[in-house]
Amino acid sequence: MARSIPSYLRLYNEARPAAGRLADFWPGLDKLCRAFERATGWPLQCQPDPASPGDHTTLLWSAPAVSDGLDAEQLRVGVATAAGAAPTHAPADLAATVDLASTIGQLMSDLAHARQALWKREAELAAGVPLPLYTDEKHLAGRLKSSLQAAAQAAHADAAALYLLDETTTYLKLRSVWGLPQERFLLPPRELALAAADLEALLGHAIVLDDAKAQATFNLPEPTAAAVCVPVASATAPLGTLWVFGNRPRSHTDHEVNMVEIVAGRIATELEREMLVAAGAEAGRAKRQLAAAERWQESHQPHTSPLSDLWQIAGWAQSAGDLSSEFYDWLVRPDNSLAIVLGSVRQQHIAAALAASELRGMVRAHAHHTGDPAEILVQVRESLAMGSPANEESALFVAVAEGSQPVVRLATAGGAQIWKITTAGVSSLASAGPPLGADSQVSPRTIELRVQPGDILVAVSEGAARTLAGGQERATDELLSALFAHREQPAKVLVEIINDRLTALAGESTLADCAAVLVKRRS
């Protein structure tokens, strides 16, 4: 017997939720269902997945609204039939209703994914944000004093003191007290070699002195009738000792000693936390400063080629880290000629970046006043000798391209490699020479070239030359062959070829600072 489908549709989920969970995660769901009912004419209900055995319905269509693997309430959106009151107005078409329910399910799934991503991201940020330092009464001094008070009270003692090792682990210095005069901080540090009780404690043993007889033997830091000394140590190193002092001779129970040791562990945690917070804050400042220096270096690298009727110029640089020791540069001189520069310094990390910026500034200053590349190198060398406390070796390539005639003059110091590419082939223009700062007696030499239309001059830095030499066999020949094969392309395209080749080679070995500059005469 055929059974007719009642005119009653609902947004259906196959299981009853735990009380409050569904409403907590989907606070607007009831409002959505009421709006759905007003729009389609069908009452809606949404319940968690999986199905509840008590739901006697016939599903016409269903789909998961929240995918597996999420911590959100799992939902399966469905359109089902069930006995109930007739709708108050003409219902919407079944296919249109199913399509709307499917869209709602997809939106709910997207929202659950966004909430899950936000939840995880907030946890990740919590681990990455430095914890704020306590201030006022919650300063480390106050926390240490509170811990010492807790240790003394747990051991039914009258005072407590914290002694920490110096950097050489030779002395113990009083750092915090409770129940003792503040003048104790003015006392000189105690020699660890003479502090027998502290030495024994630092080996991991709790020292318990129930009377004053052993004071002379153990060299106690305070005259006392009874005392307990326990080590204060991190997971990797001893930090110092915690003492509690009593005015009356008494025996300390194991429970009291254990409580003092627990307080010592708490103090070690407080000290480690303080050190980590300080280190994190310092690392954050250093990271921000490094990022600012990286942005400064990037912003001072030329990104637009100078306008010239004769020349196309392009450059490229990559850094092995945040800051680079190599750079390229160009500028228009007062006589409309172009000065092209490629430089590198033989230092490491931040010192290299600072030296590279200094070198770049010197070249710019001298290139503005003279158009002879060899003279520019000599003046830069003298400036480095006068301004540097020690010999700082730098490699430098300088070329000056005339603005009115196809002539390029160039000079080099250091290990930069320079080639000329013409229709006839590729030729090397300069061999490696002493860098600036290595030998002041060697005078650089200017090479003058008359450049034909389409001819290309290529210079790669010392880092790029090392990358080519340390890469696969014939890497240099393959790079030059690629440049020769594409010599009709613009300078920017040719520089991209250098970029691709050197980046690929660097991926096979240790990444190095690299730079290159290319000058092409327009056809």
Side-chain angles (χ1 to χ4, degrees):
M1 177 178 178
R3 181 181 176 183
S4 60
I5 299 176
S7 307
Y8 181 35
L9 300 178
R10 61 179 176 174
L11 194 64
Y12 178 76
N13 197 45
E14 300 175 338
R16 302 284 183 188
R21 289 185 60 198
L22 191 61
D24 291 341
F25 196 83
W26 303 103
L29 187 58
D30 291 341
K31 184 176 180 181
L32 171 66
C33 292
R34 291 193 296 269
F36 191 97
E37 181 180 358
R38 289 194 299 269
T40 64
W42 308 115
L44 301 176
Q45 184 179 6
C46 184
Q47 296 178 347
D49 191 29
S52 171
D55 287 328
H56 302 290
T57 58
T58 301
L59 284 175
L60 302 179
W61 171 87
S62 69
V66 181
S67 62
D68 292 338
L70 293 177
D71 292 337
E73 186 73 50
Q74 299 299 304
L75 298 176
R76 176 169 286 276
V77 175
V79 176
T81 64
T88 57
H89 58 83
D93 179 71
L94 176 61
T97 303
V98 167
D99 186 52
L100 180 57
S102 175
T103 303
I104 290 174
Q106 183 61 49
L107 292 174
M108 293 173 71
S109 181
D110 292 344
L111 177 59
H113 276 92
R115 287 177 173 176
Q116 185 83 349
L118 178 62
W119 174 60
K120 291 183 176 180
R121 182 57 178 162
E122 289 298 331
E124 293 169 356
L125 290 174
V129 175
L131 297 177
L133 293 171
Y134 286 116
T135 58
D136 301 329
E137 71 279 5
K138 292 186 178 180
H139 189 273
L140 177 63
R143 287 179 283 150
L144 290 179
K145 185 177 181 179
S146 298
S147 297
L148 294 182
Q149 181 181 2
Q153 292 174 347
H156 298 93
D158 301 291
L162 173 66
Y163 298 88
L164 297 181
L165 290 164
D166 66 344
E167 293 181 355
T168 62
T169 65
T170 305
Y171 295 95
L172 286 162
K173 182 68 174 72
L174 180 64
R175 297 301 184 186
S176 183
V177 297
W178 179 82
L180 293 174
Q182 295 290 319
E183 288 76 9
R184 292 292 195 276
F185 289 115
L186 302 178
L187 296 176
R190 300 161 53 220
E191 290 189 37
L192 180 61
L194 303 178
D198 296 86
L199 282 171
E200 187 69 22
L202 289 172
L203 294 176
H205 307 136
I207 306 301
V208 181
L209 303 173
D210 293 336
D211 54 52
K213 295 179 180 179
Q215 290 192 27
T217 302
F218 286 97
N219 191 18
L220 271 63
E222 289 287 333
T224 182
V228 176
C229 177
V230 298
V232 177
S234 68
T236 57
L239 302 176
T241 54
L242 168 61
W243 284 85
V244 295
F245 307 105
N247 295 331
R248 301 178 306 279
R250 64 179 303 273
S251 297
H252 291 88
T253 66
D254 291 343
H255 174 73
E256 291 174 345
V257 176
N258 289 338
M259 291 300 296
V260 176
E261 289 179 327
I262 290 173
V263 174
R266 173 184 171 183
I267 291 175
T269 301
E270 291 281 4
L271 294 174
E272 280 195 308
R273 178 193 179 279
E274 199 74 11
M275 289 185 288
L276 289 173
V277 168
E282 182 64 28
R285 286 192 294 270
K287 186 175 181 180
R288 290 190 294 272
Q289 291 171 358
L290 192 63
E294 184 181 4
R295 290 192 299 270
W296 184 92
Q297 195 175 55
E298 173 65 21
S299 66
H300 283 70
Q301 199 88 284
H303 297 287
T304 57
S305 299
L307 298 176
S308 173
D309 295 333
L310 281 177
W311 312 105
Q312 295 180 15
I313 301 177
W316 162 80
Q318 75 172 9
S319 173
D322 296 313
L323 300 173
S324 179
S325 63
E326 302 194 344
F327 65 93
Y328 68 90
D329 196 11
W330 50 67
L331 67 138
V332 180
R333 300 185 62 255
D335 60 0
N336 290 326
S337 62
L338 303 176
I340 301 102
V341 183
L342 187 69
S344 61
V345 296
R346 297 180 180 179
Q347 296 190 47
Q348 298 294 323
H349 309 303
I350 296 178
L354 293 173
S357 298
E358 180 186 26
L359 180 63
R360 178 178 178 272
M362 290 181 180
V363 177
R364 274 186 160 262
H366 293 302
H368 187 78
H369 296 290
T370 178
D372 183 6
E375 181 64 23
I376 294 173
L377 294 182
V378 171
Q379 292 180 2
V380 170
R381 182 177 65 191
E382 292 176 353
S383 297
L384 287 173
M386 290 186 295
S388 302
N391 269 351
E392 295 180 356
E393 295 187 359
S394 305
L396 195 60
F397 161 80
V398 178
V400 175
E402 295 294 335
S404 58
Q405 54 183 332
V407 173
V408 175
R409 296 186 301 276
L410 60 92
T412 182
Q417 299 292 313
I418 303 99
W419 299 282
K420 182 180 181 181
I421 301 175
T422 68
T423 55
V426 180
S427 59
S428 178
L429 293 181
S431 58
L436 299 177
D439 189 352
S440 60
Q441 303 302 318
V442 177
S443 298
R445 181 172 60 92
T446 295
I447 300 173
E448 184 172 314
L449 302 172
R450 191 164 189 86
V451 184
Q452 301 300 320
D455 288 355
I456 302 167
L457 299 178
V458 181
V460 298
S461 65
E462 284 191 335
R466 287 194 300 269
T467 300
L468 289 170
Q472 60 192 23
E473 188 178 358
R474 300 186 66 254
T476 302
D477 293 339
E478 291 179 0
L479 171 62
L480 295 176
S481 297
L483 293 174
F484 178 79
H486 296 84
R487 63 187 183 277
E488 300 297 331
Q489 297 293 329
K492 288 185 177 180
V493 176
L494 297 173
V495 161
E496 287 298 324
I497 294 175
I498 300 175
N499 178 6
D500 294 341
R501 295 287 176 143
L502 287 174
T503 302
L505 288 174
E508 301 171 2
S509 58
T510 303
L511 185 65
D513 292 347
C514 295
V517 68
L518 187 144
V519 182
K520 180 179 180 180
R521 184 183 169 186
R522 297 184 183 275
S523 300

